[in-house]
Amino acid sequence: MEITQEEFMEKYLPGLRDAFVQKTQEHITRQLPEIQKKLKKNMEALLEILGRIQEEAPVAVGEIQIVLLHTSVAMGTPQVAYFVYGENGIFGREIMNIRYDASWLFVCWEEYQNALESKIKEINARNSIRYEAVQQMCRQGTEFLVQTLYVVCKYLFMEMDKLEHYGDELFTDDFRLTVGEYMDWRKTLYIRRPATDIFFNTDSTPLSYGRFRTAVYSHKIFEDKDLTAAVFDACEFVHCQFRNVTLNDVRFVNCRMYYCTFERVTFLGTAWDGCMLKNLVFTDTCWNFTPDSCHLDDLYKPAELYGCTLEQIRFEQSDIRGIVQDGNSISGVSVTACEEDGTWNTIC
């Protein structure tokens, strides 16, 4: 009795798919700088063309969506499309779209399909598992590839406002850049927020993805706030308390922090660049993220410190093995910090 497609998917497909996932990840990891350079160039080309269009018709852009086109996969010519929408985002008018080759994402696709067909032949199941079934099982792997596209784009476009031609465009106050599937699963990469005061936010503007420049916070209590992917540029924090705050993917640039405490705060992907950190206490804080290689619907790089001066930094009940300082991983640290009393005196 021949094996059914359902039995094949239960017994053989998981292992074949795991091999496909691993090989794809290894290839993209090796080629990542080149891939990201190409994606950035594609985006800047789009912004340049968009600027020309807006010279003729000044229509504000509400959203740009980076999409893996499933129809192109079915046709054997995988493409990533950049869709540009008006002020109502995906619920409004499409202004333009540009399509780019996505073969770099499918470099292991043919090998995966051949592996499925070889296994079917090996177990003599070609009569019960036809070509169409193989194609169906292959296409289930596109979910992983869409999530991989998100992973490749996440930190590349987090600071989209620094791209060439960005400042020449007309965007809505809540413009956003997303990546995913056409009118389906997607993740936000960037949001353009209006100027907001964290503590006098009368319009209840979301603080995530916010931009805060040269602000001085003295004896302030940051509590139950979501500051995901916010940027603090040349800001100062003195005698501040952070409680139950999400600081994932936050970037502190040329900031100063003195005599602050952090309790039950998450620092996944957080980055400090050229900052002064002095007399800080971190209690029950989270720094480490463990990804699921088959489900990349969320991903964070290690927390990073570059060119920072640190004095008297204390960790309590905080696993800080996920921190990178000036390009080097800080290892051998868990629960408390490096020294017996749980304090970093000075590390530069």
Side-chain angles (χ1 to χ4, degrees):
M1 181 176 179
E2 288 193 352
I3 189 172
T4 66
Q5 180 180 344
E6 290 73 19
E7 291 171 332
F8 181 87
M9 293 177 66
E10 180 179 349
K11 185 175 182 180
Y12 298 105
L13 183 59
L16 295 169
R17 183 177 296 167
D18 287 347
F20 163 66
V21 166
Q22 181 177 349
K23 290 179 180 178
T24 299
Q25 289 179 333
E26 290 173 352
H27 167 78
I28 290 180
T29 298
R30 290 193 301 268
Q31 302 296 323
L32 187 59
E34 181 180 340
I35 291 169
Q36 289 187 325
K37 182 179 180 180
K38 182 182 299 183
L39 290 171
K40 181 181 177 182
K41 183 178 180 180
N42 291 344
M43 178 63 75
E44 290 178 337
L46 179 143
L47 292 176
E48 183 177 11
I49 295 171
L50 178 59
R52 296 173 188 169
I53 292 175
Q54 289 183 333
E55 288 177 1
E56 302 296 329
V59 179
V61 175
E63 181 169 339
I64 296 177
Q65 189 177 39
I66 304 174
V67 173
L68 175 62
L69 296 175
H70 290 290
T71 53
S72 70
V73 177
M75 294 176 65
T77 55
Q79 295 177 321
V80 170
Y82 292 57
F83 288 92
V84 181
Y85 297 95
E87 59 183 9
N88 293 321
I90 61 172
F91 300 106
R93 182 167 66 92
E94 180 185 316
I95 298 175
M96 62 174 287
N97 73 76
I98 297 181
R99 305 181 182 206
Y100 296 103
D101 172 66
S103 57
W104 59 269
L105 191 58
F106 287 78
V107 69
C108 301
W109 185 257
E110 184 177 352
E111 181 181 349
Y112 178 40
Q113 181 174 317
N114 292 337
L116 289 173
E117 293 174 343
S118 295
K119 178 58 67 173
I120 292 169
K121 181 179 179 180
E122 177 186 327
I123 62 176
N124 298 314
R126 285 182 291 182
N127 290 332
S128 59
I129 305 176
R130 303 298 179 88
Y131 172 81
E132 292 76 14
V134 174
Q135 293 302 303
Q136 179 187 10
M137 287 186 282
C138 269
R139 283 194 288 271
Q140 291 176 359
T142 57
E143 178 184 359
F144 160 73
L145 295 178
V146 170
Q147 294 174 351
T148 300
L149 177 63
Y150 155 65
V151 170
V152 171
C153 290
K154 178 178 180 179
Y155 290 104
L156 176 64
F157 294 124
M158 184 170 285
E159 294 186 273
M160 185 180 175
D161 49 351
K162 293 185 178 180
L163 293 179
E164 187 177 3
H165 304 298
Y166 177 89
D168 303 330
E169 317 300 339
L170 179 61
F171 295 111
T172 61
D173 284 342
D174 59 350
F175 161 77
R176 66 183 56 214
L177 173 67
T178 62
V179 62
E181 299 171 286
Y182 183 72
M183 298 297 178
D184 204 328
W185 183 91
R186 59 182 179 150
K187 297 286 285 187
T188 298
L189 301 176
Y190 172 86
I191 301 178
R192 183 175 185 245
R193 297 288 195 203
T196 304
D197 187 303
I198 293 177
F199 296 96
F200 296 96
N201 188 7
T202 56
D203 296 330
S204 298
T205 300
L207 301 176
S208 60
Y209 296 90
R211 298 294 189 269
F212 307 96
R213 180 172 175 78
T214 64
V216 177
Y217 302 101
S218 179
H219 293 83
K220 295 291 186 181
I221 298 176
F222 296 76
E223 189 163 16
D224 299 323
K225 296 187 183 299
D226 181 4
L227 289 162
T228 298
V231 177
F232 291 90
D233 187 357
C235 294
E236 185 168 305
F237 303 82
V238 183
H239 288 286
C240 291
Q241 299 176 49
F242 292 76
R243 303 174 189 154
N244 298 314
V245 176
T246 300
L247 293 177
N248 297 343
D249 287 327
V250 169
R251 280 150 291 161
F252 296 97
V253 182
N254 298 323
C255 291
R256 296 167 299 281
M257 289 185 172
Y258 304 104
Y259 301 97
C260 295
T261 60
F262 301 83
E263 184 176 359
R264 296 186 301 278
V265 175
T266 57
F267 293 95
L268 305 181
T270 309
W272 288 264
D273 187 356
C275 296
M276 165 62 82
L277 309 178
K278 185 175 181 178
N279 288 94
L280 308 182
V281 178
F282 299 86
T283 304
D284 193 17
T285 53
C286 178
W287 300 81
N288 293 292
F289 174 75
T290 303
D292 181 342
S293 62
C294 294
H295 300 283
L296 302 174
D297 54 346
D298 219 345
L299 186 80
Y300 297 94
K301 64 181 181 180
E304 300 174 325
L305 298 98
Y306 287 97
C308 296
T309 300
L310 293 83
E311 296 182 10
Q312 294 298 316
I313 309 299
R314 183 176 182 85
F315 294 87
E316 299 176 352
Q317 300 176 358
S318 299
D319 186 343
I320 60 171
R321 285 173 296 180
I323 301 177
V324 172
Q325 185 184 359
D326 293 328
N328 298 310
S329 297
I330 297 175
S331 60
V333 181
S334 61
V335 184
T336 55
C338 299
E339 299 180 5
E340 291 185 0
D341 64 353
T343 302
W344 279 349
N345 186 25
T346 301
I347 54 176
C348 301

Short mmCIF file of all heavy atoms in Angstrom, two decimals, residues 193-228:
data_model
loop_
_atom_site.label_atom_id
_atom_site.label_comp_id
_atom_site.label_asym_id
_atom_site.label_seq_id
_atom_site.Cartn_x
_atom_site.Cartn_y
_atom_site.Cartn_z
N ARG A 193 6.62 59.57 12.79
CA ARG A 193 5.77 60.12 13.85
C ARG A 193 5.87 61.64 13.90
O ARG A 193 6.95 62.20 13.69
CB ARG A 193 6.18 59.56 15.21
CG ARG A 193 6.03 58.06 15.38
CD ARG A 193 4.60 57.64 15.47
NE ARG A 193 4.49 56.26 15.97
CZ ARG A 193 3.47 55.48 15.75
NH1 ARG A 193 2.44 55.93 15.04
NH2 ARG A 193 3.44 54.25 16.24
N PRO A 194 4.79 62.32 14.23
CA PRO A 194 4.88 63.77 14.47
C PRO A 194 5.62 64.02 15.78
O PRO A 194 5.73 63.14 16.64
CB PRO A 194 3.41 64.20 14.57
CG PRO A 194 2.68 62.96 15.00
CD PRO A 194 3.40 61.81 14.35
N ALA A 195 6.15 65.23 15.94
CA ALA A 195 6.87 65.58 17.16
C ALA A 195 5.95 65.39 18.37
O ALA A 195 4.79 65.85 18.37
CB ALA A 195 7.36 67.01 17.08
N THR A 196 6.44 64.70 19.38
CA THR A 196 5.63 64.35 20.55
C THR A 196 6.43 64.55 21.83
O THR A 196 7.63 64.28 21.86
CB THR A 196 5.17 62.88 20.46
OG1 THR A 196 4.48 62.67 19.24
CG2 THR A 196 4.25 62.54 21.63
N ASP A 197 5.77 65.02 22.88
CA ASP A 197 6.36 65.08 24.21
C ASP A 197 5.87 63.86 24.98
O ASP A 197 4.66 63.65 25.12
CB ASP A 197 5.95 66.37 24.93
CG ASP A 197 6.69 66.55 26.24
OD1 ASP A 197 6.61 65.64 27.10
OD2 ASP A 197 7.36 67.58 26.41
N ILE A 198 6.78 63.05 25.48
CA ILE A 198 6.41 61.81 26.14
C ILE A 198 5.46 62.04 27.31
O ILE A 198 4.52 61.28 27.53
CB ILE A 198 7.67 61.06 26.61
CG1 ILE A 198 8.48 60.59 25.39
CG2 ILE A 198 7.31 59.88 27.51
CD1 ILE A 198 9.78 59.90 25.74
N PHE A 199 5.66 63.13 28.06
CA PHE A 199 4.89 63.34 29.27
C PHE A 199 3.76 64.37 29.11
O PHE A 199 2.98 64.59 30.04
CB PHE A 199 5.82 63.75 30.42
CG PHE A 199 6.80 62.66 30.78
CD1 PHE A 199 8.08 62.65 30.26
CD2 PHE A 199 6.41 61.62 31.61
CE1 PHE A 199 8.97 61.65 30.57
CE2 PHE A 199 7.30 60.60 31.93
CZ PHE A 199 8.58 60.61 31.40
N PHE A 200 3.66 64.99 27.96
CA PHE A 200 2.54 65.90 27.68
C PHE A 200 1.96 65.52 26.31
O PHE A 200 1.87 66.34 25.42
CB PHE A 200 3.01 67.35 27.69
CG PHE A 200 3.49 67.81 29.04
CD1 PHE A 200 4.85 67.78 29.34
CD2 PHE A 200 2.60 68.24 30.01
CE1 PHE A 200 5.31 68.19 30.59
CE2 PHE A 200 3.06 68.64 31.26
CZ PHE A 200 4.42 68.61 31.55
N ASN A 201 1.56 64.26 26.24
CA ASN A 201 1.09 63.69 24.99
C ASN A 201 -0.43 63.75 24.95
O ASN A 201 -1.13 62.74 25.10
CB ASN A 201 1.59 62.25 24.87
CG ASN A 201 1.31 61.64 23.52
OD1 ASN A 201 0.85 62.31 22.60
ND2 ASN A 201 1.57 60.34 23.39
N THR A 202 -0.97 64.93 24.76
CA THR A 202 -2.42 65.14 24.86
C THR A 202 -3.18 64.43 23.75
O THR A 202 -4.36 64.11 23.92
CB THR A 202 -2.75 66.65 24.81
OG1 THR A 202 -2.18 67.21 23.62
CG2 THR A 202 -2.16 67.36 26.03
N ASP A 203 -2.54 64.18 22.62
CA ASP A 203 -3.20 63.50 21.51
C ASP A 203 -3.05 61.99 21.57
O ASP A 203 -3.53 61.29 20.67
CB ASP A 203 -2.64 64.01 20.17
CG ASP A 203 -2.93 65.48 19.94
OD1 ASP A 203 -3.97 65.95 20.45
OD2 ASP A 203 -2.12 66.15 19.27
N SER A 204 -2.40 61.50 22.62
CA SER A 204 -2.15 60.05 22.78
C SER A 204 -1.47 59.45 21.55
O SER A 204 -1.79 58.35 21.10
CB SER A 204 -3.47 59.31 23.06
OG SER A 204 -4.05 59.77 24.27
N THR A 205 -0.54 60.20 20.99
CA THR A 205 0.24 59.70 19.87
C THR A 205 1.10 58.53 20.34
O THR A 205 1.76 58.62 21.37
CB THR A 205 1.16 60.81 19.31
OG1 THR A 205 0.36 61.90 18.86
CG2 THR A 205 2.00 60.28 18.15
N PRO A 206 1.09 57.40 19.62
CA PRO A 206 1.95 56.27 20.02
C PRO A 206 3.41 56.72 20.11
O PRO A 206 3.88 57.51 19.30
CB PRO A 206 1.74 55.26 18.89
CG PRO A 206 0.39 55.58 18.34
CD PRO A 206 0.27 57.08 18.44
N LEU A 207 4.11 56.20 21.10
CA LEU A 207 5.51 56.57 21.30
C LEU A 207 6.47 55.67 20.53
O LEU A 207 7.62 56.04 20.32
CB LEU A 207 5.84 56.54 22.79
CG LEU A 207 4.99 57.47 23.68
CD1 LEU A 207 5.36 57.26 25.15
CD2 LEU A 207 5.18 58.92 23.28
N SER A 208 6.02 54.49 20.15
CA SER A 208 6.89 53.61 19.37
C SER A 208 7.24 54.28 18.05
O SER A 208 6.43 55.00 17.47
CB SER A 208 6.17 52.28 19.10
OG SER A 208 4.97 52.49 18.39
N TYR A 209 8.47 54.08 17.61
CA TYR A 209 9.02 54.68 16.38
C TYR A 209 9.12 56.20 16.46
O TYR A 209 9.34 56.87 15.46
CB TYR A 209 8.18 54.29 15.15
CG TYR A 209 8.21 52.81 14.86
CD1 TYR A 209 7.27 51.96 15.42
CD2 TYR A 209 9.17 52.27 14.02
CE1 TYR A 209 7.30 50.59 15.16
CE2 TYR A 209 9.21 50.91 13.76
CZ TYR A 209 8.26 50.08 14.34
OH TYR A 209 8.29 48.73 14.08
N GLY A 210 8.97 56.76 17.65
CA GLY A 210 9.07 58.21 17.80
C GLY A 210 10.51 58.69 17.69
O GLY A 210 11.47 57.92 17.81
N ARG A 211 10.66 59.99 17.43
CA ARG A 211 11.98 60.62 17.34
C ARG A 211 12.05 61.72 18.40
O ARG A 211 11.23 62.65 18.40
CB ARG A 211 12.22 61.21 15.95
CG ARG A 211 12.20 60.17 14.82
CD ARG A 211 13.37 59.21 14.96
NE ARG A 211 13.52 58.34 13.80
CZ ARG A 211 12.95 57.14 13.68
NH1 ARG A 211 12.17 56.70 14.63
NH2 ARG A 211 13.17 56.40 12.61
N PHE A 212 13.03 61.62 19.31
CA PHE A 212 13.16 62.57 20.41
C PHE A 212 14.58 63.14 20.38
O PHE A 212 15.55 62.40 20.48
CB PHE A 212 12.86 61.88 21.74
CG PHE A 212 11.54 61.15 21.74
CD1 PHE A 212 11.49 59.79 21.48
CD2 PHE A 212 10.36 61.83 21.97
CE1 PHE A 212 10.28 59.11 21.46
CE2 PHE A 212 9.14 61.16 21.96
CZ PHE A 212 9.10 59.80 21.71
N ARG A 213 14.67 64.43 20.22
CA ARG A 213 15.98 65.06 20.02
C ARG A 213 16.23 66.15 21.06
O ARG A 213 15.34 66.97 21.35
CB ARG A 213 16.08 65.66 18.61
CG ARG A 213 17.40 66.33 18.31
CD ARG A 213 17.53 66.74 16.86
NE ARG A 213 18.75 67.50 16.61
CZ ARG A 213 19.96 66.96 16.50
NH1 ARG A 213 20.10 65.65 16.56
NH2 ARG A 213 21.03 67.71 16.31
N THR A 214 17.41 66.13 21.66
CA THR A 214 17.90 67.12 22.63
C THR A 214 16.93 67.34 23.78
O THR A 214 16.83 68.44 24.32
CB THR A 214 18.21 68.48 21.94
OG1 THR A 214 16.99 69.03 21.40
CG2 THR A 214 19.24 68.31 20.84
N ALA A 215 16.20 66.32 24.16
CA ALA A 215 15.28 66.42 25.30
C ALA A 215 16.03 66.15 26.60
O ALA A 215 16.98 65.35 26.63
CB ALA A 215 14.12 65.45 25.14
N VAL A 216 15.63 66.81 27.67
CA VAL A 216 16.23 66.60 28.98
C VAL A 216 15.15 66.05 29.91
O VAL A 216 14.10 66.67 30.11
CB VAL A 216 16.80 67.91 29.56
CG1 VAL A 216 17.33 67.68 30.97
CG2 VAL A 216 17.89 68.47 28.65
N TYR A 217 15.41 64.87 30.45
CA TYR A 217 14.47 64.21 31.36
C TYR A 217 15.12 64.14 32.74
O TYR A 217 16.11 63.43 32.94
CB TYR A 217 14.13 62.81 30.86
CG TYR A 217 13.55 62.78 29.46
CD1 TYR A 217 14.36 62.44 28.36
CD2 TYR A 217 12.22 63.10 29.21
CE1 TYR A 217 13.85 62.41 27.08
CE2 TYR A 217 11.70 63.08 27.93
CZ TYR A 217 12.52 62.74 26.86
OH TYR A 217 12.00 62.72 25.59
N SER A 218 14.59 64.89 33.68
CA SER A 218 15.14 64.94 35.03
C SER A 218 14.07 64.48 36.02
O SER A 218 12.96 65.02 36.04
CB SER A 218 15.59 66.36 35.37
OG SER A 218 16.10 66.44 36.69
N HIS A 219 14.42 63.47 36.82
CA HIS A 219 13.52 62.92 37.83
C HIS A 219 12.17 62.52 37.22
O HIS A 219 11.11 62.73 37.83
CB HIS A 219 13.31 63.93 38.97
CG HIS A 219 14.54 64.18 39.78
ND1 HIS A 219 15.51 65.08 39.39
CD2 HIS A 219 14.96 63.65 40.96
CE1 HIS A 219 16.48 65.10 40.29
NE2 HIS A 219 16.18 64.24 41.25
N LYS A 220 12.21 61.95 36.04
CA LYS A 220 10.99 61.49 35.38
C LYS A 220 10.80 59.99 35.62
O LYS A 220 11.76 59.23 35.76
CB LYS A 220 11.06 61.74 33.87
CG LYS A 220 11.10 63.22 33.49
CD LYS A 220 9.77 63.90 33.80
CE LYS A 220 9.74 65.33 33.28
NZ LYS A 220 8.45 66.01 33.60
N ILE A 221 9.53 59.58 35.66
CA ILE A 221 9.20 58.17 35.81
C ILE A 221 8.58 57.67 34.51
O ILE A 221 7.49 58.09 34.12
CB ILE A 221 8.23 57.94 36.99
CG1 ILE A 221 8.86 58.37 38.30
CG2 ILE A 221 7.83 56.46 37.05
CD1 ILE A 221 7.94 58.26 39.50
N PHE A 222 9.31 56.80 33.81
CA PHE A 222 8.80 56.17 32.60
C PHE A 222 8.16 54.85 33.04
O PHE A 222 8.87 53.92 33.44
CB PHE A 222 9.94 55.89 31.62
CG PHE A 222 10.64 57.12 31.09
CD1 PHE A 222 11.55 57.81 31.87
CD2 PHE A 222 10.39 57.57 29.80
CE1 PHE A 222 12.21 58.93 31.38
CE2 PHE A 222 11.04 58.69 29.30
CZ PHE A 222 11.95 59.38 30.09
N GLU A 223 6.86 54.76 32.97
CA GLU A 223 6.18 53.57 33.47
C GLU A 223 5.12 53.09 32.47
O GLU A 223 4.35 53.87 31.93
CB GLU A 223 5.51 53.86 34.81
CG GLU A 223 4.97 52.62 35.50
CD GLU A 223 4.69 52.85 36.99
OE1 GLU A 223 4.63 54.03 37.40
OE2 GLU A 223 4.54 51.86 37.73
N ASP A 224 5.14 51.75 32.25
CA ASP A 224 4.16 51.11 31.35
C ASP A 224 4.11 51.79 29.99
O ASP A 224 3.03 52.12 29.47
CB ASP A 224 2.76 51.12 31.99
CG ASP A 224 2.71 50.36 33.30
OD1 ASP A 224 3.39 49.32 33.39
OD2 ASP A 224 2.02 50.81 34.23
N LYS A 225 5.27 52.02 29.41
CA LYS A 225 5.34 52.69 28.11
C LYS A 225 5.98 51.78 27.07
O LYS A 225 6.91 51.04 27.37
CB LYS A 225 6.11 54.01 28.20
CG LYS A 225 5.44 55.04 29.11
CD LYS A 225 6.14 56.38 29.05
CE LYS A 225 5.50 57.38 30.00
NZ LYS A 225 4.08 57.63 29.65
N ASP A 226 5.46 51.87 25.85
CA ASP A 226 6.03 51.13 24.72
C ASP A 226 6.79 52.10 23.84
O ASP A 226 6.21 52.90 23.12
CB ASP A 226 4.91 50.46 23.92
CG ASP A 226 5.46 49.64 22.74
OD1 ASP A 226 6.70 49.54 22.62
OD2 ASP A 226 4.65 49.10 21.97
N LEU A 227 8.11 52.03 23.91
CA LEU A 227 8.99 52.91 23.13
C LEU A 227 9.72 52.14 22.03
O LEU A 227 10.79 52.55 21.58
CB LEU A 227 10.00 53.59 24.06
CG LEU A 227 9.41 54.66 24.99
CD1 LEU A 227 10.35 54.95 26.14
CD2 LEU A 227 9.10 55.93 24.23
N THR A 228 9.14 51.05 21.59
CA THR A 228 9.76 50.21 20.57
C THR A 228 10.26 51.03 19.39
O THR A 228 9.53 51.86 18.83
CB THR A 228 8.76 49.16 20.06
OG1 THR A 228 8.38 48.31 21.15
CG2 THR A 228 9.38 48.32 18.95
#
